[in-house]
Amino acid sequence: MLYPDIERVLLTRQQIQERVAVLGEEISADYRGKELLAIGVLKGSVVFLADLLRVLTVPVELDFIAVSSYGSSSTSSGVVRFLKDLDKSVTGREVLLVEDIVDTGLTLKCIAEHLLSQGPAGFKVCALLDKPSRRKVPVKIDYLGFSVPDRFLVGYGLDYAGRYRNLPDICVLQREVYEGGK
Ligand code: PRP
């Protein structure tokens, strides 16, 4: 096995890089002649965002937002707490929100409402991963990397209990790790 605690690799670093390159081309074409404000949602998006930025060919400014979900995932109220807001207003800007994964959609819905209330010139969402089977609220993803099954995924920025973000591939975590057997 490549990594401890990992059941299998779901998406290799090569598959990820190829998809990121395509996303970068699409986004660059759509925003030709415009200046983009890319907003990363800390912390999971940082690895994806760092790679995506470097394949964009339009001028890009970067900012970050940090949120924390309330309650356990099974009883989530859908309320998120903003831990770090943007440095500058998004009013009149072409905003691209960058997420590592959309699960229930609750986080994205809250962040989108928060940003849209400031009147950006445009607002689009780029997510590397989507778990559509887990959705609780409808959300629009304009640029999607991969649709994935409902398994606990780690690596390429995604964590379990703060760990595994550094794995270069996106991996399925062994059940024993998060079900307490290990
Ligand atoms: C993850 C991910 C999204 C959110 C998606 O963040 O980055 O922000 O969960 O879940 P949802 O669609 O059910 O709301 P997480 O809370 O794990 O924090 P992290 O980015 O710091 O890992």
Side-chain angles (χ1 to χ4, degrees), residues 102-106 130-139 141:
V102 179
D103 193 319
T104 63
L106 293 167
D130 182 20
K131 267 187 193 171
S133 60
R134 298 258 309 160
R135 195 75 86 251
K136 286 185 180 168
V137 290
V139 289
I141 303 173

Short mmCIF file of all heavy atoms in Angstrom, two decimals, residues 102-106 130-139 141:
data_model
loop_
_atom_site.label_atom_id
_atom_site.label_comp_id
_atom_site.label_asym_id
_atom_site.label_seq_id
_atom_site.Cartn_x
_atom_site.Cartn_y
_atom_site.Cartn_z
N VAL A 102 -17.91 19.72 -2.74
CA VAL A 102 -19.27 20.09 -2.37
C VAL A 102 -19.97 18.80 -1.94
O VAL A 102 -20.02 17.83 -2.71
CB VAL A 102 -20.03 20.76 -3.53
CG1 VAL A 102 -21.45 21.11 -3.10
CG2 VAL A 102 -19.29 22.01 -3.99
N ASP A 103 -20.49 18.83 -0.72
CA ASP A 103 -21.08 17.62 -0.13
C ASP A 103 -22.58 17.88 0.04
O ASP A 103 -23.35 17.73 -0.91
CB ASP A 103 -20.34 17.40 1.20
CG ASP A 103 -20.60 16.05 1.81
OD1 ASP A 103 -21.73 15.59 1.78
OD2 ASP A 103 -19.66 15.45 2.37
N THR A 104 -23.00 18.35 1.21
CA THR A 104 -24.42 18.69 1.39
C THR A 104 -24.78 19.94 0.59
O THR A 104 -25.95 20.16 0.28
CB THR A 104 -24.75 18.94 2.87
OG1 THR A 104 -24.00 20.08 3.33
CG2 THR A 104 -24.41 17.73 3.73
N GLY A 105 -23.79 20.79 0.35
CA GLY A 105 -24.04 22.05 -0.33
C GLY A 105 -24.30 23.20 0.64
O GLY A 105 -24.39 24.36 0.22
N LEU A 106 -24.41 22.89 1.92
CA LEU A 106 -24.76 23.92 2.92
C LEU A 106 -23.69 25.00 3.03
O LEU A 106 -24.01 26.19 3.12
CB LEU A 106 -25.00 23.26 4.28
CG LEU A 106 -26.23 22.34 4.34
CD1 LEU A 106 -26.23 21.49 5.61
CD2 LEU A 106 -27.52 23.17 4.25
N ASP A 130 -17.42 16.73 -6.43
CA ASP A 130 -18.84 16.85 -6.07
C ASP A 130 -19.32 15.47 -5.62
O ASP A 130 -19.06 14.46 -6.27
CB ASP A 130 -19.64 17.32 -7.30
CG ASP A 130 -21.12 17.49 -6.98
OD1 ASP A 130 -21.47 17.62 -5.79
OD2 ASP A 130 -21.93 17.51 -7.94
N LYS A 131 -20.02 15.47 -4.47
CA LYS A 131 -20.67 14.24 -3.98
C LYS A 131 -22.17 14.46 -4.09
O LYS A 131 -22.84 14.78 -3.10
CB LYS A 131 -20.31 14.01 -2.51
CG LYS A 131 -19.11 13.14 -2.25
CD LYS A 131 -19.02 12.87 -0.75
CE LYS A 131 -17.69 12.27 -0.41
NZ LYS A 131 -17.50 12.20 1.05
N PRO A 132 -22.74 14.30 -5.27
CA PRO A 132 -24.16 14.65 -5.46
C PRO A 132 -25.11 13.82 -4.59
O PRO A 132 -26.18 14.30 -4.23
CB PRO A 132 -24.39 14.38 -6.96
CG PRO A 132 -23.26 13.53 -7.40
CD PRO A 132 -22.10 13.82 -6.51
N SER A 133 -24.71 12.61 -4.22
CA SER A 133 -25.60 11.76 -3.42
C SER A 133 -25.82 12.31 -2.01
O SER A 133 -26.73 11.88 -1.31
CB SER A 133 -25.03 10.35 -3.32
OG SER A 133 -23.76 10.39 -2.70
N ARG A 134 -24.99 13.25 -1.58
CA ARG A 134 -25.08 13.80 -0.23
C ARG A 134 -25.81 15.15 -0.17
O ARG A 134 -25.99 15.72 0.89
CB ARG A 134 -23.67 14.01 0.33
CG ARG A 134 -22.87 12.73 0.46
CD ARG A 134 -22.84 12.26 1.86
NE ARG A 134 -22.43 13.33 2.75
CZ ARG A 134 -22.66 13.35 4.05
NH1 ARG A 134 -23.31 12.35 4.60
NH2 ARG A 134 -22.24 14.35 4.80
N ARG A 135 -26.25 15.64 -1.31
CA ARG A 135 -26.77 17.01 -1.36
C ARG A 135 -28.03 17.20 -0.52
O ARG A 135 -28.94 16.37 -0.56
CB ARG A 135 -27.08 17.38 -2.82
CG ARG A 135 -27.27 18.87 -3.01
CD ARG A 135 -25.96 19.68 -2.95
NE ARG A 135 -25.34 19.71 -4.28
CZ ARG A 135 -24.22 19.04 -4.57
NH1 ARG A 135 -23.60 18.32 -3.66
NH2 ARG A 135 -23.71 19.10 -5.77
N LYS A 136 -28.06 18.28 0.24
CA LYS A 136 -29.26 18.65 1.02
C LYS A 136 -29.93 19.90 0.47
O LYS A 136 -31.11 20.09 0.66
CB LYS A 136 -28.87 18.91 2.48
CG LYS A 136 -28.56 17.65 3.27
CD LYS A 136 -28.32 17.98 4.73
CE LYS A 136 -28.00 16.74 5.53
NZ LYS A 136 -27.48 17.08 6.87
N VAL A 137 -29.13 20.77 -0.13
CA VAL A 137 -29.69 21.98 -0.74
C VAL A 137 -29.13 22.10 -2.16
O VAL A 137 -27.97 21.76 -2.40
CB VAL A 137 -29.34 23.26 0.08
CG1 VAL A 137 -30.09 23.29 1.39
CG2 VAL A 137 -27.84 23.38 0.30
N PRO A 138 -29.94 22.57 -3.09
CA PRO A 138 -29.44 22.68 -4.46
C PRO A 138 -28.42 23.82 -4.58
O PRO A 138 -28.62 24.91 -4.02
CB PRO A 138 -30.71 23.01 -5.27
CG PRO A 138 -31.69 23.56 -4.29
CD PRO A 138 -31.35 23.00 -2.95
N VAL A 139 -27.32 23.54 -5.25
CA VAL A 139 -26.30 24.55 -5.50
C VAL A 139 -25.82 24.40 -6.94
O VAL A 139 -25.90 23.31 -7.51
CB VAL A 139 -25.08 24.43 -4.54
CG1 VAL A 139 -25.45 24.85 -3.13
CG2 VAL A 139 -24.50 23.04 -4.57
N ILE A 141 -22.79 24.44 -9.56
CA ILE A 141 -21.33 24.36 -9.74
C ILE A 141 -21.06 24.62 -11.21
O ILE A 141 -21.49 23.86 -12.08
CB ILE A 141 -20.80 22.97 -9.32
CG1 ILE A 141 -21.17 22.66 -7.87
CG2 ILE A 141 -19.28 22.90 -9.52
CD1 ILE A 141 -20.82 21.25 -7.42
#
